[in-house]
């Protein structure tokens, strides 16, 4: 509740600051609640303010939107409320999609030709991940399957639809888009699930791995393992110097997320965080770049384990760790984000699907997470990602050539709406091994093509 009071205060300060700004948008509404305040502030990027006063609205000399059921003379930008934003509970919604200005839309309303659907309610439905609070099928890890989503079923998963809707609305209002589109940023991020393939692992693991390769007659892997352990060959997952060269030459500011589970279990296969070489690797990166925690599968349901992993990483780098991305993108609403907030995380980078690339929240910019269970916005900032290498390789099973085309598409699309383009790559998918060399080249070419200053 205290955060909401602060939020309202900041919003009112922002509104006062913007009253003399020609880019201010005044939105008239008869009822303003947390849902409406949140979505207006978010999608208009703090360039809008709400008013209940019809006199103030009529006298305002600037960009205006009538968000009410009543017609207002000489006001063409009229969005009729659907009703979702007036509700405080979570209920199944009727979704009937149609086409508007070449884009998929829903929550159609009457008596408005310029904007024939509730832009605010539809945007709120998508960005809050409303559908993920409703009953749905889950995958083997308990995750929401992308095939459940309206974005997948109606073929707009590959679009930051909310921003495209907003831009169409602004075009119709005559509102300038140059400033919004100029806010583009690119953040390369890396998940370090297994820092090294052979080095610094236990003797038992290397012995088991050796006999597994022997059983499978994988002679190249046997030779590679022995050469690395004998010190005559670099570990294939040790690509950190190569990445540093790319980052330094292109002046990039990446974020590295380290898995530091204390217990090796199932999908958590990292090197033990107590290993001195592992700690040295983490410290080296923390001196150069931003780092975050990669909460393990084990910690996803145990607050104490999550707290322990964050504390362990913070101790290694001797500073508070406040960024995260869940291992295997294992998030459930609202529990996963509630636990992160309780653990002191301020920025999370898990908003995307692990099984298909695209825009899970139909939005390509950081946004405050709105908890539908409490019906309140929170201080947690969500940074959506749109592309992950492991998804392209192991889930979509596309060629490196097709992946390169997709990666460029996402970069260009996010740039066109002035968003934040967050990509995920893994050190074990960027090696010089035959299976991944093309993917390594793909990534280098992408960076050189798009980030050369």
């Amino acid at each position: 509740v205290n955060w909401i009071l602060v939020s309202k205060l900041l919003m009112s300060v922002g509104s006062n600051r913007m009253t003399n700004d020609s880019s201010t948008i005044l939105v008239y509404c008869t009822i303003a609640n947390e849902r409406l305040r949140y979505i207006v502030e978010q999608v208009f990027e703090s360039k809008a303010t709400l008013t209940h006063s019809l006199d103030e609205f009529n006298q305002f000399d600037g960009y205006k939107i009538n968000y009410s059921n009543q017609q207002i003379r000489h006001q063409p930008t009229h969005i009729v409320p659907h009703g979702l934003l007036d509700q405080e509970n979570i209920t199944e919604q009727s979704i009937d999609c149609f086409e508007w200005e070449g884009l998929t839309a829903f929550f159609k309303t009457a008596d408005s030709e310029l904007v024939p659907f509730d832009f605010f309610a539809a945007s709120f439905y998508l960005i809050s991940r409303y559908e993920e609070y409703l009953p749905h099928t889950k995958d083997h890890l308990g995750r929401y399957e992308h095939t459940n989503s309206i974005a997948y079923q109606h073929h707009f998963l590959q679009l930051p639809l909310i921003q495209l809707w907003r831009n169409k609305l602004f075009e119709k209002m005559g509102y300038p888009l140059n400033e919004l589109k100029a806010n583009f940023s690119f953040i390369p991020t890396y998940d370090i699930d297994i820092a090294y393939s052979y080095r610094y692992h236990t003797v038992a693991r290397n012995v088991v791995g050796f006999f597994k390769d022997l059983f499978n007659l994988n002679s190249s892997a046997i030779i590679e393992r022995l050469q690395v352990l004998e010190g005559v060959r670099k570990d294939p997952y040790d690509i950190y110097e190569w990445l540093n060269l790319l980052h330094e030459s292109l002046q990039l500011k990446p974020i590295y997320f380290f898995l530091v589970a204390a217990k090796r279990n199932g999908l958590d296969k990292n090197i033990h965080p107590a290993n001195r070489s592992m700690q040295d690797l983490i410290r080296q990166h923390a001196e150069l770049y931003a780092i975050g925690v990669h909460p393990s599968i084990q910690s996803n349901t145990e607050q104490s384990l999550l707290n322990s992993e964050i504390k362990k990483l913070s101790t290694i780098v001797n500073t508070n760790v406040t960024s995260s991305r869940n291992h295997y993108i294992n998030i459930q609403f609202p529990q996963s984000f509630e636990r992160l907030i309780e653990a002191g995380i301020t920025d999370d980078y898990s908003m995307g699907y692990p099984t298909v690339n695209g825009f899970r929240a139909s939005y390509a910019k950081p946004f405050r997470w709105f908890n539908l269970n409490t019906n309140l916005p929170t201080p947690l900032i969500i940074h959506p990602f749109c592309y992950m290498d492991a998804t392209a390789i192991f889930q979509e099973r596309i060629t490196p050539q097709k992946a390169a085309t997709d990666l460029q598409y996402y970069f260009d699309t996010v740039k066109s709406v002035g968003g934040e383009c967050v990509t995920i790559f893994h050190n074990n998918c960027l090696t010089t091994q035959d299976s991944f060399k093309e993917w390594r080249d793909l990534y280098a070419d992408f960076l050189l093509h798009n980030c050369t200053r």
Side-chain angles (χ1 to χ4, degrees):
V1 176
N2 289 340
W3 165 253
I4 300 307
L5 293 175
V6 172
S7 174
K8 289 178 180 177
L9 178 61
L10 290 174
M11 192 172 181
S12 66
V13 171
S15 298
N16 293 334
R17 178 182 60 81
M18 293 189 294
T19 50
N20 296 321
D21 186 344
S22 62
S23 66
T24 299
I25 301 169
L26 187 63
V27 180
Y28 171 72
C29 59
T30 55
I31 299 176
N33 54 32
E34 295 300 340
R35 290 185 176 186
L36 179 59
R37 274 190 288 266
Y38 166 80
I39 198 62
V40 168
E41 180 182 14
Q42 183 58 57
V43 299
F44 288 165
E45 300 182 17
S46 300
K47 295 182 179 297
T49 186
L50 299 172
T51 182
H52 300 307
S53 170
L54 193 55
D55 288 339
E56 179 186 4
F57 184 74
N58 287 327
Q59 295 170 12
F60 183 73
D61 184 18
Y63 300 100
K64 298 187 287 187
I65 296 175
N66 170 21
Y67 186 62
S68 73
N69 287 305
Q70 68 182 99
Q71 295 278 358
I72 299 177
R73 181 186 292 184
H74 308 308
Q75 180 45 250
T77 309
H78 182 198
I79 299 177
V80 178
H82 162 271
L84 176 70
L85 300 184
D86 293 333
Q87 301 170 7
E88 294 186 355
N89 56 351
I90 305 169
T91 59
E92 194 79 41
Q93 301 293 320
S94 176
I95 305 292
D96 295 313
C97 292
F98 65 98
E99 186 175 306
W100 173 69
E101 297 291 324
L103 300 170
T104 301
F106 56 96
F107 289 161
K108 192 171 187 176
T109 52
D111 304 323
S112 180
E113 296 181 3
L114 191 66
V115 188
F117 72 106
D118 189 338
F119 161 73
F120 294 123
S123 297
F124 181 81
Y125 184 87
L126 293 173
I127 203 170
S128 70
R129 304 308 305 129
Y130 196 104
E131 60 192 352
E132 299 197 37
Y133 288 78
L134 301 172
H136 58 265
T137 58
K138 301 178 184 295
D139 70 5
H140 66 290
L141 291 178
R143 301 174 300 188
Y144 181 84
E145 295 192 80
H146 74 266
T147 51
N148 295 321
S149 70
I150 179 180
Y152 174 79
Q153 294 172 4
H154 291 274
H155 313 293
F156 60 84
L157 181 57
Q158 280 70 43
L159 296 173
L161 188 62
I162 296 172
Q163 285 148 299
L164 295 175
W165 282 339
R166 180 202 62 194
N167 290 358
K168 286 289 185 183
L169 172 61
F170 280 1
E171 287 174 5
K172 289 179 175 293
M173 293 171 57
Y175 187 90
L177 290 170
N178 292 340
E179 182 181 345
L180 291 174
K181 292 183 177 182
N183 292 331
F184 171 73
S185 60
F186 169 59
I187 303 179
T189 70
Y190 305 93
D191 288 348
I192 310 302
D193 304 339
I194 309 175
Y196 300 95
S197 182
Y198 310 117
R199 296 185 70 191
Y200 312 121
H201 288 283
T202 63
V203 173
R205 182 183 173 185
N206 272 308
V207 169
V208 171
F210 174 84
F211 282 105
K212 182 179 178 181
D213 292 335
L214 187 63
F215 178 80
N216 293 324
L217 302 179
N218 191 345
S219 59
S220 61
I222 292 173
I223 294 171
E224 182 180 67
R225 184 188 300 272
L226 293 175
Q227 289 180 337
V228 169
L229 295 177
E230 290 172 0
V232 298
R233 184 173 181 174
K234 194 172 186 177
D235 190 287
Y237 291 4
D238 185 358
I239 63 161
Y240 306 110
E241 291 182 4
W242 176 74
L243 284 176
N244 287 346
L245 181 61
L246 283 172
H247 298 149
E248 291 172 9
S249 61
L250 300 175
Q251 299 180 19
L252 296 174
K253 296 180 179 180
I255 305 175
Y256 284 79
F257 295 91
F258 288 94
L259 182 66
V260 290
K263 181 181 179 182
R264 179 182 171 87
N265 184 26
L267 298 174
D268 301 327
K269 301 178 180 179
N270 58 302
I271 296 170
H272 198 283
N275 183 285
R276 181 172 296 180
S277 296
M278 182 66 188
Q279 293 187 359
D280 288 342
L281 179 70
I282 293 172
R283 290 192 191 98
Q284 289 165 12
H285 282 81
E287 290 175 359
L288 297 172
Y289 313 115
I291 69 162
V293 68
H294 200 36
S296 67
I297 296 293
Q298 302 165 70
S299 71
N300 196 48
T301 57
E302 294 190 39
Q303 187 71 44
S304 60
L305 279 179
L306 175 62
N307 295 343
S308 176
E309 290 177 14
I310 295 172
K311 182 179 180 181
K312 169 62 71 175
L313 188 60
S314 298
T315 300
I316 292 172
V317 299
N318 196 30
T319 188
N320 288 335
V321 172
T322 58
S323 295
S324 71
R325 177 161 54 232
N326 279 14
H327 192 29
Y328 276 79
I329 315 300
N330 194 359
I331 57 174
Q332 292 89 31
F333 287 86
Q335 298 88 348
S336 296
F337 290 151
E338 288 176 336
R339 280 192 285 268
L340 292 175
I341 292 173
E342 184 177 339
I345 295 297
T346 62
D347 293 78
D348 184 76
Y349 291 76
S350 306
M351 183 58 71
Y353 288 118
T355 47
V356 65
N357 282 318
F359 301 94
R360 184 169 182 165
S362 301
Y363 198 69
K365 206 172 182 83
F367 61 91
R368 282 191 300 150
W369 176 54
F370 192 99
N371 188 343
L372 286 175
N373 268 15
T374 61
N375 213 44
L376 293 171
T378 72
L380 181 65
I381 303 299
I382 303 297
H383 299 258
F385 69 89
C386 58
Y387 182 90
M388 178 162 61
D389 60 349
T391 300
I393 297 169
F394 303 113
Q395 300 295 327
E396 297 176 332
R397 297 182 180 276
I398 57 179
T399 65
Q401 293 74 28
K402 175 64 167 62
T405 300
D406 289 353
L407 178 56
Q408 189 62 51
Y409 162 79
Y410 288 116
F411 182 89
D412 293 340
T413 298
V414 176
K415 188 174 184 178
S416 72
V417 297
E420 179 182 85
C421 182
V422 177
T423 58
I424 305 176
F425 282 81
H426 296 76
N427 60 306
N428 56 299
C429 296
L430 293 171
T431 73
T432 57
Q433 295 166 307
D434 291 342
S435 300
F436 295 106
K437 190 176 186 308
E438 285 187 274
W439 296 93
R440 176 186 174 101
D441 293 342
L442 171 164
Y443 186 52
D445 290 344
F446 165 77
L447 293 181
L448 293 170
H449 175 73
N450 292 287
C451 303
T452 304
R453 297 172 185 266

